[in-house]
Amino acid sequence: NIAGVAAISDKQIYGYNFGFSIPEDATINSVKIIFDGKNESSEATNITKVQLGYNGTLRGTQLQQVMTGEYAVYSTDLTGEWTVAELNSSLLQLYITGGGGVNAIFFDYALIEVDFDYADPITFPYKGKPQTMIFEGGKRYKIECWGAQGHKSTCGYGGYVVGEISYENDTPVNIYVGQQPADGSGGWNGGGAGQWHGGGGASDVRVGGTALANRIIVGGGGGGGGYEGDNFKLGGGGGLIGKVGFDYANGTATGGTQSAGGNTGGTLGIGGSNTGAYYGGGGGGGYYGGGATPGNFGGGAGGSSYYGGVEGGATMDSVRVGHGQIVITEVSTAGLKLTEPMMFSLAGIPELVRLAKGKYKLECWGAQAGPASNGYTGGFGGYAAGDIDLTEDTYVFVCVGGRG
């Protein structure tokens, strides 16, 4: 309860760390304060005030209410007064103030209700903390995860994985986006530590809880760099098996797989660490983490990707530079029916298409080779065509080659 002291001062409490994780590009439709409380008796005349604040300063529309002696729900509209960044901030506060007087005020709950629309697609960048959204029942979503790159390298890129999922009922999902570390510390979400170069964190989506066992899709992180002259080398993340680390004559770090972590030290979700190996790299996070270098100067290995909890999964290793990323797109619940040709150009990742039952013509052009150092033109790519008859809605993965 909140007790007021007559003629002296108001009594006040506040809440904070509400844990909002609203996508940065979301559109806010409404913001409300909702308060369920009562006065000590129906004769009480206290005015209860409920208001949002930011970093210790009260701000915006205030709910002021003389309540009855029975619990009742009161609300006030704050639409247009708060930004996404402010609502997500740990500096957001909810103040409850009891007016002067001898009466007590009781409340069951006080909350902030935010209604917003997602952009489509929704991009989740690295935040260093879990992010959340709701998968609406009856809708279908494509999930794309990129793991983070390991530290100190022009290689060791994070992996990519894609798949689709749908649920009958509204389902909360927890989103973890991996970090590329800035030093020997392992990247957030599973990157292993190295003496000089940490492994990149994995990017994953979890349903039904926040444990590693709740992951439905994972993009593996790249390993931390090893040293060879002025070059820093390491293993790439992603793929069903993460790529091996750089071997400097002291043994090779191996990538995470679908059933075990890499050598040295990789485990479920966590890249291996070896802070005693001079100039050595840690393993990338992943479904199973990549191993750390077993000796001096060696690079860490990449973590594995995983798509066992989604439909139509595919993965590619070594594609992501920098921090990880997750993109979620609402897609049709039915297979795509083409009424005109559908063209694909170079994307650098497998593109996922769910085609409806039917007959299709496929045409593929290979990429041209790069020019020779003496200026001669590289060889031209080939051409192939054929028909395919799909007897049911079918996932098709399209990979377009890049020019040399």
Side-chain angles (χ1 to χ4, degrees):
N1 63 68
I2 305 171
V5 181
I8 298 178
S9 67
D10 293 342
K11 294 296 182 179
Q12 185 179 79
I13 62 172
Y14 67 92
Y16 58 99
N17 280 340
F18 290 95
F20 284 118
S21 184
I22 303 168
E24 294 177 353
D25 51 0
T27 299
I28 301 295
N29 297 322
S30 67
V31 180
K32 294 181 179 179
I33 294 174
I34 302 176
F35 182 83
D36 183 10
K38 69 173 185 177
N39 261 322
E40 185 176 27
S41 70
S42 57
E43 287 77 30
T45 59
N46 307 52
I47 297 178
T48 301
K49 303 173 185 177
V50 186
Q51 187 175 15
L52 293 186
Y54 193 81
N55 197 24
T57 301
L58 292 169
R59 206 183 85 191
T61 303
Q62 184 181 79
L63 187 159
Q64 298 189 54
Q65 188 69 48
V66 177
M67 296 180 293
T68 69
E70 301 294 331
Y71 276 106
V73 177
Y74 308 92
S75 67
T76 191
D77 191 353
L78 311 178
T79 303
E81 299 181 9
W82 295 87
T83 67
V84 170
E86 290 169 334
L87 292 169
N88 285 338
S89 174
S90 61
L91 301 177
L92 182 70
Q93 299 157 328
L94 176 62
Y95 287 84
I96 303 171
T97 307
V102 296
N103 305 113
I105 295 169
F106 301 84
F107 70 96
D108 187 24
Y109 62 82
L111 57 86
I112 306 168
E113 180 183 86
V114 181
D115 178 76
F116 59 91
D117 290 328
Y118 296 107
D120 188 31
I122 311 160
T123 299
F124 293 91
Y126 163 68
K127 291 282 190 179
K129 64 179 182 179
Q131 303 172 65
T132 60
M133 71 169 289
I134 302 292
F135 282 180
E136 297 182 33
K139 294 185 176 181
R140 190 169 194 84
Y141 297 89
K142 180 173 74 172
I143 306 171
E144 299 176 274
C145 301
W146 288 261
Q149 183 182 9
H151 175 245
K152 199 64 176 181
S153 179
T154 55
C155 52
Y157 303 135
Y160 169 81
V161 64
V162 60
E164 293 184 3
I165 196 73
S166 63
Y167 297 98
E168 291 184 3
N169 302 312
D170 289 359
T171 301
V173 298
N174 301 292
I175 295 163
Y176 291 68
V177 179
Q179 173 199 22
Q180 181 189 25
D183 51 29
S185 302
W188 187 82
N189 203 32
Q195 189 194 58
W196 283 70
H197 313 304
S203 296
D204 66 74
V205 175
R206 309 181 191 191
V207 177
T210 58
L212 292 174
N214 296 112
R215 296 176 297 173
I216 63 171
I217 187 169
V218 183
Y227 181 75
E228 183 186 36
D230 292 326
N231 299 312
F232 294 90
K233 299 184 178 181
L234 62 165
L240 296 179
I241 299 176
K243 297 187 74 172
V244 299
F246 169 63
D247 178 6
Y248 192 85
N250 293 302
T252 302
T254 59
T257 71
Q258 295 300 290
S259 59
N263 182 47
T264 304
T267 61
L268 180 68
I270 309 296
S273 295
N274 185 352
T275 57
Y278 187 67
Y279 262 111
Y287 182 57
Y288 277 88
T293 176
N296 294 339
F297 302 105
S304 59
S305 291
Y306 170 77
Y307 49 75
V310 296
E311 299 176 1
T315 183
M316 179 176 287
D317 65 66
S318 308
V319 297
R320 180 70 180 179
V321 177
H323 297 314
Q325 177 178 276
I326 292 179
V327 175
I328 297 176
T329 309
E330 184 181 340
V331 295
S332 172
T333 57
L336 179 64
K337 295 182 179 180
L338 299 183
T339 58
E340 58 184 28
M342 187 174 187
M343 306 290 291
F344 294 88
S345 56
L346 177 65
I349 55 176
E351 296 189 74
L352 175 64
V353 181
R354 187 166 175 244
L355 291 177
K357 173 183 176 180
K359 191 170 184 178
Y360 298 87
K361 180 181 180 181
L362 307 178
E363 296 180 274
C364 300
W365 289 261
Q368 184 181 5
S373 58
N374 59 9
Y376 286 103
T377 300
F380 297 121
Y383 169 81
D387 294 338
I388 187 170
D389 192 0
L390 303 179
T391 58
E392 61 183 5
D393 289 0
T394 303
Y395 287 102
V396 177
F397 302 98
V398 180
C399 297
V400 178
R403 182 176 179 178

